C-alpha cells in the first residue's frame, strides 16, 4: 500500500513538472523581438590599479551580465571596458555579443589583457591571441573619444540615447516610462537614432567632475538608478537590460503560429 502511494505521488510530481515546463515554453513562445529593437552598447569605466584580483572578478561579472543570456549571447549588445593604462592614453577591451562564444567564465580573457597592459613591452598586446568577438584598442581611448564614437553618428548629425547609471541609487529609477524618448530635433540636424549607450562605473562609485563634464559634451546623458539601493555593477547591467527588454519586445498575437 505504501509503495503504491509513493508511486502515485511520484507520478503526480512528474505530471506537475511536465505541465510547468509546458507553461514556461508557452510563455517564452509568446514573446518575439520588436522591429524597434536596436543595438546596445555598454560602457564600463574601470579605475585604479588593475592588478587587483577583485577588479578582474568585477569586470568579468560585468562582461557576463552584459553579454550572456540563459542560453546563448545577446546578439545586439557590445561591451566596452575602459581600462587605465600605465603608458597613458587609455586602453579599451571590447567584446561583441554577436561574435563571441558563450563562456562560463570571462575572467581569463580580461586577466590576460590586464596583465599585458602592465608589461613595458608595447608589442605584448598586439601579439595576444583573443577569443572570437574580443578586441583590444590601445589608442584614442579617452572617455570623450569613446563616447563620441558610440553616441555621435553621421558627423554629429545624429546621436544615440545615452543613459548614465547612477550606482548610488539617488537618481530617478530607470523604467520603461523614464527611459529617455527617441525623438528628432526641430532643425532636423540633431535627430536621435534608435539605440542606447549605457555607461556605468566598475566600482559603483560616483563619477568625477571631469567625467561629468565629459557627459555634458553629449547632452549630459540621462542619469538613472536601477535600484534605490547601491548594487554591484553587474547587477545594474542586468536590470538596465531588463528595462530595455521590456521596452523593445512585444507580445506575439494569439492567432499567430
Amino acid at each position: 500500500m505504501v509503495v503504491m502511494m509513493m508511486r502515485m505521488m511520484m507520478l503526480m510530481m512528474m505530471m506537475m513538472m511536465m505541465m510547468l515546463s509546458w507553461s514556461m515554453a508557452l510563455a517564452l513562445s509568446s514573446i518575439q523581438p520588436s522591429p524597434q529593437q536596436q543595438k546596445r552598447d555598454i560602457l564600463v569605466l574601470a579605475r585604479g590599479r588593475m592588478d587587483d584580483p577583485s577588479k578582474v572578478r568585477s569586470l568579468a561579472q560585468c562582461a557576463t551580465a552584459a553579454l550572456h543570456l540563459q542560453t546563448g549571447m545577446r546578439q545586439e549588445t557590445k561591451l566596452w571596458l575602459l581600462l587605465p593604462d600605465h603608458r597613458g592614453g587609455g586602453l579599451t577591451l571590447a567584446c561583441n555579443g554577436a561574435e563571441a562564444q558563450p563562456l562560463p567564465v570571462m575572467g581569463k580573457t580580461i586577466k590576460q589583457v590586464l596583465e599585458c597592459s602592465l608589461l613595458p613591452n608595447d608589442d605584448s598586446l598586439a601579439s595576444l591571441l583573443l577569443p572570437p568577438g574580443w578586441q583590444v584598442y590601445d589608442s584614442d581611448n579617452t572617455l570623450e573619444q569613446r563616447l563620441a564614437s558610440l553616441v555621435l553618428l553621421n558627423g554629429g548629425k545624429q546621436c544615440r540615447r545615452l543613459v548614465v547609471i547612477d550606482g548610488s541609487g539617488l537618481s530617478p529609477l530607470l523604467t520603461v516610462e523614464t527611459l529617455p524618448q527617441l525623438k528628432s530635433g526641430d532643425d532636423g540636424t540633431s535627430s536621435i537614432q534608435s539605440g542606447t549607450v549605457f555607461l556605468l562605473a566598475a566600482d559603483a562609485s560616483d563619477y568625477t567632475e571631469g567625467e561629468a563634464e565629459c557627459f555634458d559634451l553629449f547632452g549630459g546623458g540621462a542619469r538613472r538608478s536601477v535600484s534605490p539601493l547601491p548594487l554591484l555593477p553587474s547587477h545594474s547591467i542586468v536590470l538596465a537590460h531588463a528595462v530595455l527588454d521590456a521596452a523593445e519586445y512585444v507580445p506575439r498575437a494569439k492567432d499567430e503560429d
Side-chain angles (χ1 to χ4, degrees):
M1 184 69 178
V2 175
V3 174
M4 291 183 61
M5 291 182 63
M6 291 181 64
R7 288 179 176 175
M8 291 181 63
M9 291 179 62
M10 291 180 63
L11 181 60
M12 292 178 63
M13 290 179 63
M14 291 177 63
M15 293 179 63
M16 290 177 63
M17 291 178 65
M18 290 176 62
M19 292 179 63
L20 180 61
S21 299
W22 178 81
S23 61
M24 289 179 64
L26 183 62
L28 290 174
S29 66
S30 66
I31 296 177
Q32 65 176 354
S34 164
Q36 298 303 316
Q37 184 186 7
Q38 297 293 333
K39 179 182 176 183
R40 304 178 193 178
D41 287 279
I42 298 180
L43 189 62
V44 180
L45 296 176
R47 306 187 184 105
R49 291 189 58 84
M50 290 292 105
D51 54 358
D52 184 349
S54 65
K55 294 283 184 70
V56 177
R57 182 167 57 251
S58 176
L59 292 176
Q61 290 170 346
C62 287
T64 301
L67 300 173
H68 280 73
L69 293 169
Q70 184 176 4
T71 56
M73 308 288 279
R74 286 187 175 271
Q75 300 291 309
E76 80 287 357
T77 301
K78 189 168 185 177
L79 172 73
W80 304 82
L81 302 176
L82 264 66
L83 310 171
D85 184 5
H86 75 286
R87 295 164 296 183
L91 181 71
T92 299
L93 175 61
C95 186
N96 189 346
E99 301 174 3
Q101 300 290 331
L103 298 173
V105 178
M106 308 190 84
K108 182 178 180 181
T109 300
I110 296 173
K111 184 173 183 291
Q112 287 178 333
V113 173
L114 293 180
E115 288 176 344
C116 286
S117 71
L118 297 173
L119 297 176
N121 183 6
D122 290 344
D123 296 330
S124 57
L125 286 171
S127 60
L128 185 62
L129 295 178
L130 297 174
W134 290 84
Q135 289 178 291
V136 174
Y137 303 85
D138 59 358
S139 61
D140 298 331
N141 288 300
T142 65
L143 176 59
E144 180 179 343
Q145 290 169 328
R146 186 55 56 196
L147 281 176
S149 68
L150 295 177
V151 176
L152 301 181
L153 303 174
N154 297 332
K157 293 183 178 180
Q158 291 181 310
C159 61
R160 298 170 64 205
R161 175 167 50 199
L162 174 61
V163 180
V164 179
I165 301 299
D166 181 0
S168 69
L170 299 178
S171 295
L173 284 177
L174 178 67
T175 65
V176 174
E177 289 74 22
T178 63
L179 194 65
Q181 297 299 309
L182 302 173
K183 57 185 179 180
S184 299
D186 295 334
D187 57 1
T189 61
S190 58
S191 60
I192 305 294
Q193 176 162 313
S194 295
T196 301
V197 178
F198 280 118
L199 186 147
L200 70 157
D203 54 5
S205 62
D206 197 8
Y207 300 101
T208 66
E209 183 177 348
E211 290 167 349
E213 291 176 354
C214 184
F215 303 155
D216 291 337
L217 298 175
F218 303 94
R223 290 282 189 108
R224 296 289 187 270
S225 298
V226 292
S227 170
L229 301 176
L231 300 180
L232 293 174
S234 56
H235 293 179
S236 297
I237 292 174
V238 171
L239 292 177
H241 265 316
V243 172
L244 273 188
D245 290 344
E248 296 180 351
Y249 281 70
V250 295
R252 179 179 293 166
K254 294 182 178 179
D255 57 350
E256 288 186 15
D257 292 336

